[in-house]
Amino acid sequence: PTPYGWPSVHSYFGMYDVCGFPKDNVSYLKSWWGCEPVLHLFPHWNWEGLQGEPVKVVAYSNCDEVELFVNKKSAGRQTMEKNGHIEWMVPYKAGSIKAVGYKNGKKQLEQTRETTGKPAQLVLEPHKTNFVADGEDLAIFSVSVLDNKGRFVPIANNQVYFEIEGPGKIIGVGNGDNTCLEPDKYIDDVSILYFHNMKAKVIDGIENRTEVALGFDDSEWKSHFQIRNEIQKGTASVYRGTFNLPENVLDAKVNLFYNAIGDEQILYINGKAISEKLEKKLGERYSFELDKKLLKAGQNEFSIVAKPYTVRNLWDSPNTNPGVIQVIIPAQQYNRSLFSGYAQVLVQTSKEPGTIVLKAFSEGVKSTEFILNSKKTELRSSVN
C-alpha cells in the first residue's frame, strides 16, 4: 500500500479503485485527453455538521467556462484553463450545487449534486445480463443505496448482506475502501485437533467397560507408548485421551478421522459409544461426523477399547496413532459495507442452466433482488 501503511491495504494512486469504481481523476483525464465534452463536479453535498463552514468545490471540464450555482445562486463564472480545473470556496448549506459549462458562449453541459436523505432502498446493477452456464461466466454487481426520492446517497456506509439461489455462487465482495479490513471471500474455517494425554491400560475384554466413563480417574495409567509391548501381549486394552473444542462448537461440524489401533475396537466420546465393533482392515480408515449433543466447548474425552493388533509379519509395526478431530466452522454469510455509497459482489455460474436470484439486505433499508438467467451453452474442451 502506498503512500500509507497499515491499516491501508491498497495503493491510493491510480484512476480507479480495486473494484473498478472511477475516482474523480478519471474525469480530469477524460476532459483533456478524450474527445467528448466533459463536466464533472465534486465533492458530494452531504456535509451535516458543517453548516456555514467553507467547502472547496471543484469542476473538471473541457468547456470554455464553468459557472457554479449554490442553492440556485451564482457563486461565479470562471474561465477553464487548458489542462487545468476550476475551484470555488463556498459556505455549506444543505440543498444543491450545480455546475454549468459553456462552449463558445453557449450552455453545453450541466451537473448537479444534491443533499440527499437517509438510505432507503438498495440497488443491484450487474455489468452484463447475458449469462451462460459454463461454470466460469461472471457477473460483477455494483451495490448502492438510494434515499426515499430515488437519489444516490454518496455517504452511505450500510452493512449489506447477500444471499443467492439457483445454479450460481458468490465468489467475492469488495468496496474499494483502502482501509477496509473486511474479508473479500468468506470460506469455511477448517482446523485439525490432536488428542492429548493418551494413556492406556491392559484389560481382559472390550465389552461393558467402566473405564470409558466420562471423568474416569486414569491418573495412575501410563502413556500408551510406554506399555506398547504389554498391550500387544494382553487380551485387550482401553485408551483414554482428550481434545479441546472451540467456544462456537455448536456452529461447527466436527468429524473424527480414526486410524484403527487394534483388530477390534469400540469408540467413545465423553463416555458415549459412537461405534459398533470396528474390525481392522488393511489400509482402511474410519470417519464419523460427531453428534453435537455429545460434545461441549473446552475439554472432551475420547476413549477406545480394543483387542491388540495381530502382528502377521516381522516388519509389521502396530499403529499407535488414533487419528485426528476435524472442526469445520461454516463461513459467515457474504456481506460488505458500502464505501462512498458503493460496494461490489461477484457472482459465478455453475454448469447447470437456470434462474439465479441474488438478494441484498441491510438493516433499516428496503431489500432488493436481481434475477439472472443462466443459459445452456456448449462447454469448452478440457483435459481430465
Side-chain angles (χ1 to χ4, degrees), residues 310-371:
T310 301
V311 177
R312 294 178 175 82
N313 304 292
L314 292 175
W315 55 84
D316 283 351
S317 178
N319 175 47
T320 57
N321 174 18
V324 296
I325 295 287
Q326 179 194 59
V327 180
I328 303 175
I329 300 176
Q332 296 181 37
Q333 181 180 5
Y334 262 99
N335 69 90
R336 194 66 162 192
S337 58
L338 300 177
F339 174 67
S340 297
Y342 285 110
Q344 190 177 79
V345 56
L346 281 65
V347 173
Q348 190 175 52
T349 60
S350 71
K351 294 181 180 180
E352 295 295 325
T355 300
I356 300 171
V357 182
L358 177 66
K359 300 179 181 180
F361 308 85
S362 184
E363 185 177 355
V365 177
K366 187 177 179 181
S367 60
T368 190
E369 66 178 40
F370 198 97
I371 298 176

Side-chain angles (χ1 to χ4, degrees), residues 157-173:
N157 61 356
N158 301 60
Q159 198 75 29
V160 183
Y161 294 83
F162 304 101
E163 292 180 359
I164 193 167
E165 299 174 358
K169 62 180 179 180
I170 298 172
I171 63 169
V173 288

Side-chain angles (χ1 to χ4, degrees), residues 154-307:
I155 60 170
N157 61 356
N158 301 60
Q159 198 75 29
V160 183
Y161 294 83
F162 304 101
E163 292 180 359
I164 193 167
E165 299 174 358
K169 62 180 179 180
I170 298 172
I171 63 169
V173 288
N175 63 9
D177 181 1
N178 289 331
T179 59
C180 183
L181 302 180
E182 299 169 358
D184 296 331
K185 296 179 74 69
Y186 288 83
I187 58 176
D188 293 345
D189 180 13
V190 181
S191 58
I192 297 297
L193 307 178
Y194 297 94
F195 298 112
H196 303 289
N197 305 315
M198 286 296 295
K199 297 179 179 180
K201 177 183 177 182
V202 176
I203 54 178
D204 57 9
I206 68 173
E207 302 285 356
N208 302 317
R209 303 305 310 189
T210 59
E211 295 92 343
V212 300
L214 180 63
F216 185 88
D217 184 8
D218 59 9
S219 59
E220 301 298 322
W221 295 14
K222 295 182 179 180
S223 164
H224 67 304
F225 288 109
Q226 291 178 298
I227 62 170
R228 181 162 48 188
N229 291 333
E230 296 177 40
I231 289 172
Q232 283 304 114
K233 295 175 183 178
T235 302
S237 299
V238 59
Y239 303 79
R240 291 176 56 86
T242 61
F243 59 95
N244 294 311
L245 290 175
E247 290 296 326
N248 53 351
V249 64
L250 293 181
D251 299 325
K253 179 180 179 181
V254 183
N255 297 315
L256 166 63
F257 295 107
Y258 174 68
N259 301 322
I261 60 175
D263 283 350
E264 288 184 358
Q265 50 253 294
I266 304 174
L267 313 180
Y268 298 82
I269 296 289
N270 291 328
K272 302 293 184 180
I274 63 168
S275 76
E276 302 292 337
K277 285 184 182 179
L278 303 176
E279 294 184 1
K280 164 67 177 174
K281 294 181 180 179
L282 185 62
E284 187 170 340
R285 301 294 182 265
Y286 298 92
S287 62
F288 303 87
E289 182 176 348
L290 300 183
D291 187 343
K292 294 177 186 176
K293 295 178 182 178
L294 300 179
L295 304 171
K296 58 183 178 178
Q299 183 172 286
N300 292 259
E301 295 180 3
F302 177 48
S303 303
I304 311 162
V305 287
K307 293 183 178 180

